[in-house]
C-alpha cells in the first residue's frame, strides 16, 4: 500500500520553535523553527519512505468554530514575535521546493487533514498524520495512523487503533465524545461541569457515545444525572467543536504530492541562504544515496542481460 504523509504544519513549527535553542542568520533573522521543521520533515521522509507528502496549515482568519462559540481558543497565548516571520519562511520554502501545502479561510489544519485522509482511504492509500495535536487521534483507523512527537523533535510514537485504546482507554472515534464531556482547556470550551476524565471514560466504555449516555440517563446516579441534564446543550456544542470536518474544500491530487517532484535544488538555495549547513549536507547525502541506487539498478539490469 502506498503511503501519504500529512504534516500538521502549525503544530510542528510551534514544537520546533519551543524545542530548539535560538538560531538566526548572520543578519539576525530567527530561524530555529524553520530549521526544526525541515529537520523533522527529512526524518519523516527517511524513516517512513512515503510516496506522497502534503503539509496543512491553520489560517489566521476566524474559523466556523469561532462563529459557533465566541470563546473558542480565546485564551491561547499570542504567538511570539520571533516565530511569526518564520512561519512565512516555511511557506516560501515549501513553495520553492514544490511541496504542496494548504490553508483555507474558515477551517483549521485538522479539517484539511481529515478531509484529505478520508479521500486517501477511498484511493487505498495508507495515511500517516504527523502532529502533536491529540484531537487528530479521532481520525485513526485501519488506514490512518498518527505519528506524534513525544520528546523534543526526534522521539515519536506511532498511534494505530490499538495504541489509542491502550493509551486513552477509548476507541479513536470516542475522542470527540470524551471532549464533549470534559471540555478542552487549550481550545477554551467547557464540557459537562463536574465530569472528569475518569468518569467520562467510564461512561463511554459503557454507553459508547455522548448520545448513548443521554439515552440511558436514568440508569446513572442522581448526581451524574443532574450534571449531565444541566449541561446537555454545552456538551452537544463541545462535541461539534471537537469534531473534525471531513468535507472541507480541499482535494487530494497524488500527482502534485509525489515525493519525487520535490525540487531539491531550490531547497538547497533556501538552506544556503539561511545558513543550514547540516541540512545542506543531509540533502546532498540523500541525493548521493539515490544516485548510487540508480547506478546499482542499471548494473543489475546489465548483469541480467549478460553484459557484465
Amino acid at each position: 500500500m502506498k503511503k501519504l504523509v500529512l504534516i500538521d504544519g502549525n503544530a510542528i513549527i510551534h514544537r520546533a520553535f519551543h524545542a530548539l535553542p535560538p538560531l538566526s542568520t548572520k543578519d539576525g533573522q530567527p530561524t530555529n523553527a524553520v530549521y526544526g521543521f525541515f529537520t523533522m520533515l527529512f526524518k519523516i521522509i527517511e524513516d517512513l519512505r512515503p510516496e506522497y507528502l502534503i503539509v496543512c496549515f491553520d489560517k489566521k482568519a476566524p474559523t466556523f468554530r469561532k462563529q459557533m462559540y465566541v470563546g473558542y481558543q480565546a485564551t491561547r497565548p499570542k504567538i511570539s514575535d520571533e516565530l511569526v516571520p518564520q512561519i512565512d519562511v516555511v511557506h516560501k520554502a515549501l513553495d520553492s521546493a514544490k511541496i504542496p501545502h494548504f490553508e483555507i479561510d474558515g477551517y483549521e489544519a485538522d479539517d484539511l487533514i481529515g478531509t484529505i485522509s478520508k479521500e486517501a482511504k477511498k484511493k487505498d492509500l495508507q495515511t500517516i498524520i504527523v502532529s502533536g495535536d491529540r484531537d487528530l487521534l479521532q481520525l485513526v483507523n485501519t488506514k490512518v495512523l498518527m505519528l506524534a512527537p513525544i520528546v523534543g523533535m526526534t522521539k515519536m510514537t506511532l498511534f494505530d487503533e490499538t495504541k489509542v485504546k491502550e493509551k486513552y482507554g477509548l476507541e479513536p472515534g470516542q475522542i470527540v465524545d470524551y471532549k464533549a464531556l470534559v471540555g478542552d482547556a487549550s481550545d477554551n470550551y467547557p464540557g459537562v461541569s463536574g465530569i472528569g476524565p475518569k468518569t467520562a471514560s467510564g461512561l463511554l466504555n459503557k454507553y459508547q457515545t455522548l448520545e448513548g449516555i443521554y439515552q440511558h440517563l436514568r440508569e446513572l446516579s442522581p448526581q451524574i444525572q443532574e450534571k449531565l441534564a444541566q449541561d446537555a446543550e454545552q456538551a452537544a456544542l463541545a462535541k461539534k467543536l471537537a469534531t473534525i470536518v471531513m468535507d472541507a474544500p480541499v482535494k487530494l491530487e497524488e500527482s502534485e504530492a509525489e515525493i519525487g517532484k520535490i525540487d531539491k535544488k531550490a531547497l538547497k538555495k533556501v538552506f544556503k541562504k539561511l545558513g543550514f549547513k547540516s541540512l545542506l549536507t543531509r540533502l546532498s547525502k540523500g541525493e548521493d544515496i539515490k544516485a548510487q541506487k540508480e547506478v546499482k539498478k542499471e548494473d543489475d539490469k546489465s548483469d541480467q542481460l549478460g553484459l557484465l
Side-chain angles (χ1 to χ4, degrees):
M1 189 181 294
K2 292 185 177 181
K3 295 177 190 171
L4 162 67
V5 166
L6 293 175
I7 297 179
D8 181 353
N10 289 81
I12 299 306
I13 289 174
H14 276 80
R15 188 170 192 87
F17 179 75
H18 293 291
L20 298 178
L23 296 172
S24 61
T25 59
K26 291 180 180 179
D27 60 1
Q29 178 186 357
T31 58
N32 64 329
V34 183
Y35 177 82
F37 177 88
F38 281 101
T39 297
M40 183 171 283
L41 186 143
F42 283 175
K43 178 175 173 56
I44 289 162
I45 292 175
E46 290 165 6
D47 291 351
L48 301 180
R49 299 183 181 278
E51 281 77 17
Y52 311 104
L53 175 74
I54 294 172
V55 185
C56 296
F57 290 99
D58 294 328
K59 199 78 181 282
K60 190 175 180 179
T63 67
F64 69 89
R65 292 181 180 86
K66 186 76 172 178
Q67 296 173 345
M68 289 171 60
Y69 181 62
V70 69
Y72 184 72
Q73 295 184 341
T75 57
R76 285 198 173 181
K78 182 184 175 184
I79 298 177
S80 168
D81 290 339
E82 292 188 349
L83 175 56
V84 173
Q86 295 193 65
I87 296 174
D88 186 52
V89 173
V90 170
H91 279 249
K92 288 179 178 177
L94 291 173
D95 282 335
S96 297
K98 295 182 173 59
I99 296 174
H101 57 99
F102 301 110
E103 56 178 351
I104 298 175
D105 284 344
Y107 296 89
E108 295 179 29
D110 290 8
D111 302 312
L112 309 185
I113 289 171
T115 301
I116 295 171
S117 68
K118 180 181 178 182
E119 192 173 349
K121 186 178 180 181
K122 291 178 181 178
K123 296 185 177 185
D124 202 31
L125 299 178
Q126 181 186 58
T127 299
I128 302 176
I129 299 165
V130 182
S131 177
D133 184 353
R134 297 304 190 268
D135 286 358
L136 286 161
L137 288 173
Q138 67 186 267
L139 300 176
V140 171
N141 56 51
T142 56
K143 289 187 179 178
V144 179
L145 308 176
M146 177 168 154
L147 189 63
I150 302 299
V151 178
M153 298 295 296
T154 56
K155 188 175 181 182
M156 300 182 170
T157 295
L158 186 66
F159 285 93
D160 57 9
E161 292 174 297
T162 301
K163 188 69 175 179
V164 174
K165 180 73 174 178
E166 177 187 308
K167 178 75 174 177
Y168 297 98
L170 299 167
E171 300 295 336
Q174 292 178 301
I175 297 293
V176 292
D177 300 281
Y178 176 80
K179 295 187 75 172
L181 291 169
V182 303
D184 188 325
S186 64
D187 282 337
N188 192 46
Y189 62 81
V192 177
S193 301
I195 298 290
K198 187 176 179 180
T199 301
S201 293
L203 289 170
L204 288 171
N205 276 307
K206 187 172 183 180
Y207 300 111
Q208 305 306 312
T209 65
L210 179 69
E211 294 76 15
I213 293 170
Y214 276 98
Q215 287 169 7
H216 296 86
L217 200 60
R218 292 185 180 182
E219 297 176 14
L220 307 176
S221 68
Q223 295 92 337
I224 298 296
Q225 283 189 45
E226 183 180 353
K227 291 172 182 177
L228 287 165
Q230 186 173 336
D231 287 340
E233 290 185 11
Q234 199 163 274
L237 175 61
K239 183 166 182 175
K240 289 180 181 179
L241 294 171
T243 300
I244 291 174
V245 163
M246 307 291 274
D247 59 355
V250 63
K251 188 171 179 58
L252 170 60
E253 298 286 357
E254 296 106 297
S255 61
E256 299 297 318
E258 291 177 3
I259 287 288
K261 290 189 175 179
I262 293 177
D263 190 337
K264 293 181 180 179
K265 288 184 179 179
L267 207 49
K268 278 184 177 180
K269 290 181 182 179
V270 174
F271 291 165
K272 188 174 182 180
K273 182 178 179 182
L274 295 172
F276 293 164
K277 294 180 181 179
S278 63
L279 289 183
L280 277 168
T281 301
R282 195 168 177 179
L283 197 55
S284 297
K285 184 180 178 182
E287 288 182 336
D288 291 341
I289 291 172
K290 183 178 179 182
Q292 290 169 14
K293 287 181 179 178
E294 290 301 322
V295 170
K296 189 176 185 305
K297 281 182 182 178
E298 291 304 316
D299 287 346
D300 288 344
K301 287 179 182 177
S302 296
D303 189 29
Q304 288 168 11
L305 293 171
L307 300 177
L308 291 179

